[in-house]
Every structure is written in structure tokens, then in C-alpha cells.
Amino acid sequence: MTETLHLEASPRYQAPILALIELLGKLRLDYCFVGRVAKALWLGEQVSDGAVDVLVLVTPDRSAQLPMMAGNRGFLVDRQEVEAAGELDLIPMRFPDPEAPIRIHALMASNALYSRMLAGSITAELEGVPVKIIAPEDLVVLMLVEEERREIIDSVIDRAGEKVNVTRLNEKLTSIGLSARKIVR
């Protein structure tokens, strides 16, 4: 039996995460959370600040549905921001909150690397709701691309333990031209 991973989020951040899961489910779009949400899971922290970033498998012809449906479900969507971010394969939104709107970035999985990351995602739980999160080794790849501090990357690898296949991780790094950033253990 495998252990259930639990994502911890402050009440302020539970709402947008759960609303996104519901929205993406209604649209029948495959997704996984990346960025701060994934780091929180793999570092054993609580999501309580920053943007909520989600990788979404959506075809260009359906990409307009996501912001439209989000706007109909209470998300704050600025049409000009969406159009301006279109070339980045990014859909910017915000989730209303009395303290301050929470930024949401829906990144469209427009290449093979992102699609493989979606396929390799894991399922955790937030308040009993299944939440798809990027696998730890894929999070490490993104962190290396972003040039995240090495001690944070090492913490993700250490905490995830056997869920990180360092050999496979290094193969991915080599395949995307980052062999100089291989992980040595």
C-alpha cells in the first residue's frame, strides 16, 4: 500500500486550488500543479503565499474555453492580459480574496517535455480532494531551469526520497541540454 501524500494549504490558498481543480475537471483537462504548490508538497510546507501555477494540457482551439469558464466561475480574468500572454502559452488569472487577489498562472503544456511531466504527475490530497502535482524529479528539472538555489533543490530530492530517480532525472537534463546541471549523489 502506498502512502497518501497530503498537500497543506492555508484556508486562503485552499479556495483557489480547489476551485481550479473543479474548473479543470469540468473542462475535462489534464493538469498538474507546479511552482509554489509543488514545492510546498515536496518540502513539507504549507502553501500560504505566492502565485498558484498549474500546467494544463489544452489544445490551442480549446485554450479560449479556460479563461471564459474561469470568468464564469468567479475567477478574475482580464481579457487584455490573456491576449498579451498568449504567445507565452500562459493564461493569467486571479482568484478573488478579501486580503488581495491571488495570482494564478495556467501554463499550457505545449511541448513534449511538459506533456511528459503531466503524464508522470502524482496524486496528493487536499482536504480529501485528489490534487495532481508534478513529480519531484520533474520539479527539480524546472527548478534547475529557473536556477533555483541548490539547497532547495537538494531538500526536494532528500524529502522525496525514492520517488526521485536520479539516473532518470539526469537523463532528462541531458535531453534538454542541461547536462552541466546533473545531480551528483
Side-chain angles (χ1 to χ4, degrees):
M1 184 171 179
T2 60
E3 79 174 281
T4 301
L5 297 170
H6 294 277
L7 176 65
E8 299 294 326
S10 68
R12 181 171 183 246
Y13 274 78
Q14 284 179 14
I17 293 168
L18 294 172
L20 270 171
I21 293 167
E22 180 185 358
L23 171 64
L24 297 169
K26 293 279 186 201
L27 290 169
R28 295 189 180 126
L29 296 174
D30 195 12
Y31 75 92
C32 69
F33 285 91
V34 297
R36 179 70 185 104
V37 173
K39 286 178 189 175
L41 176 74
W42 295 117
L43 292 171
E45 299 173 349
Q46 181 184 73
V47 182
S48 59
D49 61 3
V52 174
D53 300 325
V54 63
L55 184 61
V56 181
L57 184 61
V58 61
T59 58
D61 60 314
R62 289 194 62 207
S63 64
Q65 286 181 316
L66 182 55
M68 181 190 70
M69 289 287 288
N72 292 339
R73 293 186 172 278
F75 289 81
L76 306 172
V77 180
D78 182 320
R79 188 175 301 210
Q80 289 178 331
E81 284 181 1
V82 172
E83 288 173 10
E87 289 182 26
L88 302 173
D89 287 338
L90 177 75
I91 301 170
M93 301 179 278
R94 288 176 308 287
F95 190 81
D97 181 81
E99 189 175 314
I102 296 171
R103 289 177 298 132
I104 296 173
H105 304 121
L107 178 62
M108 292 182 268
S110 58
N111 62 43
L113 177 63
Y114 288 154
S115 295
R116 284 188 299 235
M117 288 178 175
L118 276 171
S121 64
I122 60 93
T123 302
E125 282 189 359
L126 173 64
E127 297 296 311
V129 175
V131 181
K132 291 181 69 178
I133 307 282
I134 193 169
E137 65 192 46
D138 289 328
L139 176 61
V140 168
V141 169
L142 292 178
M143 291 169 71
L144 286 166
V145 168
E146 296 170 1
E147 297 184 358
E148 180 71 68
R149 291 191 333 259
R150 185 55 191 248
E151 63 267 15
I152 296 174
I153 292 169
D154 289 340
S155 293
V156 167
I157 293 169
D158 292 342
R159 187 155 164 75
E162 63 188 41
K163 291 180 179 69
V164 175
N165 180 326
V166 176
T167 302
R168 191 170 55 222
L169 170 61
N170 286 332
E171 289 170 356
K172 287 179 185 183
L173 291 171
T174 299
S175 74
I176 61 171
L178 294 176
S179 58
R181 297 186 187 169
K182 283 185 178 180
I183 302 297
V184 178
R185 288 275 173 179

